[in-house]
Amino acid sequence: MKLTDQEKAMLDGAGGAAKRKAMELLIRYGEALGAERFVDTNNVTGVPGWATDFLRHYYKDRGTSYEAIFSLFDLDSDEIVEVPKMSVYSCHLQGSMDPKLWKEQGKTADALADYLQDEAGVAAHGIQVLKTCTPYLAGNVPVKGEHCAWMESSAVVFGNSVIGARINVEGRESTSSAMLTGKIPDWGLHRDEGRLGTHHIAVEVPVADVFNWGMLGYFVGDAVQENIPVLTGDVSNPSLVKHKHFGAAAASSGGIELYNIVGLTPEAASYEMAFGARKPVENLRYGRRERRQVYDTLNSVGSNADVDFVMIGCPHASIEQIWEVATLLDGRKLHSGTNLWIFTSRSVKSVADTTGYTKIIRDAGGYIMTDTCSAFGRTMPPDTKVVALDSAKQAHYLPAMMGVEAWFGTTRDCIAAATTGRWNASAP
Ligand code: F3S
């Protein structure tokens, strides 16, 4: 790779051992990708340290200092080096438990102590403790054209598509190295040519609510995998929440990191702008039959209508979604055998606390939880067998990960299941 003088200096150790290790790692990574240079970034989100349970166990025998985990794992270095404060704007994504509701989530006091020790290390190194998969709902909102280094596929697809930022789905090692250096390889979605559409999807049924946007996203991801879809047709202007559920679903059934909707997303003022000089490699349609297939797939592991757990908030719920749940629940109680957990970021929860939504949901018997979710934190109420979900992404992952049955429907269907204990929704 061609290095600038500043990059060469970091590689020569001018910024200390950790930055040298980070540059070595990024150069190996960039060369493997075929990148010729780096771009500068001042917006990095990742999971530096040991916020996930498995790392805690993996390196417990090597010492759980922040430096040890960061060196061995994030920097892929056998030598434990001193880790300075991060050089650029850096944020921590989701973690493995709610530090207040950890008992309800079945976590141990020992695991909590480790989690909080890691968090202290994160803060001490100048990393913002957002603890969410939706950093764009918690204060980290890039601008159009901004080069970012982000993990978390649902956040990346939102940043690229809805905002027009330039982001590849990164990993722990590349984001941690980018936090130290402010560099990330210049390839893929950082480059103009990497952002042009490849597949055209003609939408031929109305797509209006979050539920339908989730199903459309699931179809598109499965159909185009890691390519770049461009949508036209019967789509009304989606809200932030609809984009959030569409992109998360598309990044689950496939590996979509960028989509465009002609006339609606910032890089697709026209069909020609979305594809550039390219012709689509495939033209696909999304009609009634395709929608029904997606619905059946997402409900394929649901057979028992007795629901014992309802999970909302994948990706982490916005305050609008929490308001919707609180409105649906106001004055009602959950069914005696059914639990309701809503996952969100700490900052959104603080608004829910202040506005009274947390109390309404708690009075009904449900919880608003932060930091994690059932799939990421491997956490559900004890003895859960049947789950109701309003997220296509969570419906894709949770049954396989936790061995449960799952129903997928609207938020209203899910809250009805929470109050009656029964799944009573039908296909669109
Ligand atoms: Fe977030 Fe968990 Fe979904 S971390 S995107 S809520 S799988």
Side-chain angles (χ1 to χ4, degrees):
M1 294 180 77
K2 295 188 195 88
L3 302 184
T4 63
D5 289 346
Q6 183 213 12
E7 290 158 0
K8 280 184 200 149
M10 281 194 279
L11 187 61
D12 290 342
K19 288 191 185 183
R20 175 170 54 82
K21 293 282 182 189
M23 279 308 294
E24 288 170 358
L25 186 147
L26 287 169
I27 289 169
R28 290 202 302 279
Y29 173 53
E31 286 177 344
L33 294 167
E36 294 180 358
R37 62 183 66 79
F38 291 108
V39 287
D40 291 334
T41 179
N42 184 41
N43 189 330
V44 187
T45 67
V47 289
W50 69 87
T52 44
D53 284 345
F54 87 99
L55 271 182
R56 200 164 52 83
H57 296 298
Y58 195 74
Y59 277 122
K60 200 110 187 174
D61 60 332
R62 304 275 310 255
T64 51
S65 75
Y66 200 83
E67 261 63 22
I69 296 290
F70 201 97
S71 301
L72 294 162
F73 219 92
D74 297 60
L75 296 177
D76 188 29
S77 161
D78 290 337
E79 179 194 346
I80 295 176
V81 296
E82 191 180 329
V83 180
K85 279 192 192 294
M86 300 303 150
S87 304
V88 298
Y89 176 39
S90 302
C91 300
H92 195 296
L93 294 164
Q94 64 266 27
S96 59
M97 72 183 76
D98 182 323
K100 296 214 169 82
L101 294 169
W102 55 278
K103 275 190 192 154
E104 287 75 3
Q105 293 181 341
K107 307 290 182 182
T108 64
D110 195 30
L112 173 70
D114 285 344
Y115 189 72
L116 294 178
Q117 188 189 344
D118 170 71
E119 194 165 297
V122 167
H125 287 84
I127 302 161
Q128 326 290 317
V129 183
L130 297 189
K131 290 287 170 81
T132 179
C133 52
T134 55
Y136 50 91
L137 293 177
N140 183 343
V141 188
V143 294
K144 185 168 185 281
E146 183 173 354
H147 294 283
C148 305
W150 283 14
M151 291 177 69
E152 176 47 48
S153 63
S154 67
V156 169
V157 69
F158 187 95
N160 277 312
S161 313
V162 183
I163 297 171
R166 298 195 163 215
I167 324 173
N168 294 310
V169 174
E170 298 292 346
R172 157 193 296 274
E173 299 80 2
S174 59
T175 50
S176 292
S177 297
M179 288 177 185
L180 282 168
T181 60
K183 306 288 174 182
I184 201 72
D186 182 17
W187 73 289
L189 297 177
H190 290 290
R191 302 184 66 78
D192 290 347
E193 67 273 16
R195 301 181 66 85
L196 294 173
T198 59
H199 290 63
H200 173 228
I201 316 280
V203 179
E204 296 173 357
V205 282
V207 179
D209 57 7
V210 172
F211 167 66
N212 271 284
W213 275 98
M215 287 195 290
L216 176 59
Y218 200 80
F219 168 81
V220 169
D222 187 42
V224 317
Q225 290 298 307
E226 289 170 3
N227 291 292
I228 300 178
V230 177
L231 283 71
T232 59
D234 204 352
V235 287
S236 53
N237 199 353
S239 64
L240 183 152
V241 174
K242 292 167 191 171
H243 273 295
K244 173 165 82 78
H245 278 242
F246 173 85
S252 308
S253 56
I256 306 292
E257 297 178 27
L258 165 65
Y259 62 85
N260 271 306
I261 307 174
V262 173
L264 296 180
T265 50
E267 295 179 29
S270 65
Y271 184 91
E272 292 69 30
M273 183 178 169
F275 282 105
R278 283 185 188 161
K279 291 264 174 293
V281 295
E282 205 173 352
N283 285 286
L284 298 156
R285 62 181 292 277
Y286 179 76
R288 283 183 192 286
R289 190 166 58 92
E290 289 75 16
R291 182 176 66 183
R292 182 58 198 248
Q293 281 169 351
V294 170
Y295 182 84
D296 289 346
T297 300
L298 291 171
N299 281 289
S300 61
V301 292
S303 63
N304 182 353
D306 290 330
V307 173
D308 37 33
F309 176 40
V310 176
M311 194 215 115
I312 306 283
C314 172
H316 278 175
S318 69
I319 192 64
E320 179 190 358
Q321 290 176 288
I322 294 174
W323 165 60
E324 182 185 1
V325 171
T327 304
L328 289 167
L329 274 178
D330 201 2
R332 305 174 73 191
K333 294 277 182 211
L334 299 191
H335 179 261
S336 61
T338 309
N339 293 283
L340 170 66
W341 291 1
I342 300 152
F343 291 95
T344 191
S345 62
R346 296 182 192 183
S347 56
V348 168
K349 179 167 182 291
S350 74
V351 180
D353 292 348
T354 308
T355 317
Y357 301 148
T358 307
K359 182 170 186 324
I360 291 170
I361 291 163
R362 191 68 210 103
D363 287 350
Y367 287 101
I368 299 180
M369 296 178 165
T370 67
D371 287 41
T372 192
C373 74
S374 288
F376 195 84
R378 308 282 201 281
T379 178
M380 296 189 306
D383 303 321
T384 295
K385 293 187 184 59
V386 183
V387 187
L389 304 162
D390 69 351
S391 160
K393 173 172 179 171
Q394 195 75 196
H396 179 79
Y397 287 118
L398 197 62
M401 291 174 72
M402 302 297 278
V404 290
E405 288 188 27
W407 296 105
F408 166 72
T410 65
T411 306
R412 184 176 284 273
D413 293 335
C414 290
I415 297 305
T419 54
T420 63
R422 296 281 296 171
W423 187 253
N424 193 24
S426 49

